[in-house]
Structures are given as structure tokens and as C-alpha cells.
Amino acid sequence: ALGYLGVAVDVTQLEQLNHALLLSEQRHRSMLDNLPGVVYRCINDDNWTMLFISDEVEKLTGYPAKNFIRNKTTSFSQITLPEDTEQNRVVVERELALNNRFSVEYRIRHANGSVRWVQELGRGIFDQNNKLLYIDGFIWDVTAQKEVQLALRAGEQKLASLYQLAPLAILLSQFDSGEILNVNPQWYELSGLSDEIPALPLPTLLSFNQIQLEARQQALASNASFGPIELELSHVEGQQIPVLLSEVLIQNA
């Protein structure tokens, strides 16, 4: 061999692009791995066919991500409780038609049979002709928050029932001013007043003396309760009615 003929091409820019792409993919993968929820891209068809879904879906549903790609063996439509499916579709399609982000809350059936509440945020990806191409979104588990919310709602319903149906007069008043905020139906029967809330503060309606008022203030501030104590209530017709008062202080957040 007497020699060779070759061509050298500068690939610095190509290497820089490849390096930048690799860094971008690493950042993207790191972000997906650390998000406390599922990232997805799907098609807006009848089954919301998944084109991509992050590995976090296995922790959320019990099924590996590969099962959801192209709805191979599982789809979110299949694991969503039937009574929530139609409501989701109405909300999603309405917001997509308006080019808005959507937010839905629904229940899914985990692979182990348990029911979990999830929240989903998403938006449509459109082309230059405003044609919907994909839906990108994020799904995360809100079971714990939902159970607290439902328990609180049940407690409020029980309290409201007790408040309305109790055979005792119940008043809600401000601690500092004594202003009455609300009363139950039994209060009107006891006092003879009609449906208006009393304008006078609670201590004025009852026959407190100064020593009792000071003891009441101190007891509520320190023990969050006061009574029972026997007092007199001024009836609308003028007579004094003996009553037994017990109070409890309701703390705010």
C-alpha cells in the first residue's frame, strides 16, 4: 500500500447535540422517577389508548406500565369504577372542546381488589389547525385525603342532625363578644321567640352575675368548658324560666 485517501468531517456540533439530548433525557427520566404520581400521554379515543405512561403507575394500580401501552392488557377505562366513567368523559370532553385544562376525581380498582381515589389533571395537545392530537396528564393517589374528607362530611352531617333534632336548646355564640350566631329550633320553643336570632349577647339573655361571668370566662379559656350551672332565661312573655347551662369552647384551626 502506497498510501490512503480519506475524508475528515467535523462532528463537534453533532456530538454536542447528542450530549445535550442525553442530558435532557436524563433530566426527564429523573423527573418522572421522582414525581409522586403517574405521567401519561394518550389518544382521545373511546378507550383513551395510552401511548406513554410512567412506571409509577404500577405503585398506583398494581399493574406494570407495559400493560397499559396501547392498552395491551389493561386500560384506565377498565379499572375505573363504571359509575365514575361517564362523569369523567363528560368533564374531559367538555374542557377539551374549550381548549381548557381538565380536572377529574374518580375511583379505580387496584390489582389487589381495593378501591382507590385518584385525581387527574390533563390538557389537550393540538396541531396548528387546532386538531386534537393527544392528551397529556398527571394522575395521583388522593385516597387518604378523600377518606378524611368523607369522614369529616359524615361527622358534619351527624352534628347537623344532632343540632336540629336535639330536645335541648343549642346556641352558637362568639366567645369574646357573646354575639349569638345560630340557634336550633328548640331554642325558639324555650324562649318563645320567633325565627330571628337574638340580637343581645348570650350573657345578657341569662341571669349571670359578675362572679359567674368571670368564672365562666376563666373556665372556657382554661378548660374549654363551663357548667352545668343553673340560671334564669327571660321568656318573651316576661317570666323568668330556670335553665341549666353547659358550654364548650370550639377551637378554630
Side-chain angles (χ1 to χ4, degrees), residues 119-205:
Q119 186 164 359
E120 179 177 344
L121 296 177
R123 64 188 180 97
I125 305 299
F126 299 85
D127 64 11
Q128 62 272 23
N129 298 318
N130 206 34
K131 179 183 177 182
L132 180 61
L133 299 177
Y134 314 109
I135 300 174
D136 285 352
F138 183 64
I139 306 171
W140 70 100
D141 192 335
V142 294
T143 304
Q145 300 94 307
K146 193 68 178 179
E147 288 176 347
V148 170
Q149 180 184 350
L150 292 173
L152 179 61
R153 187 180 303 167
E156 289 174 344
Q157 290 172 344
K158 292 176 183 177
L159 182 60
S161 298
L162 173 65
Y163 188 78
Q164 293 297 323
L165 300 175
L168 303 174
I170 303 176
L171 300 88
L172 179 66
S173 64
Q174 286 282 5
F175 172 60
D176 294 328
S177 66
E179 177 190 1
I180 297 175
L181 305 176
N182 205 346
V183 297
N184 72 338
Q186 191 65 24
W187 157 259
Y188 298 116
E189 184 175 339
L190 178 67
S191 65
L193 294 171
S194 55
D195 291 345
E196 71 271 9
I197 293 177
L200 296 174
L202 179 61
T204 306
L205 296 174

Side-chain angles (χ1 to χ4, degrees), residues 2 43 114 116 129 160 165 241:
L2 300 178
I43 303 172
S114 64
R116 296 190 179 182
N129 298 318
L165 300 175
I241 302 175

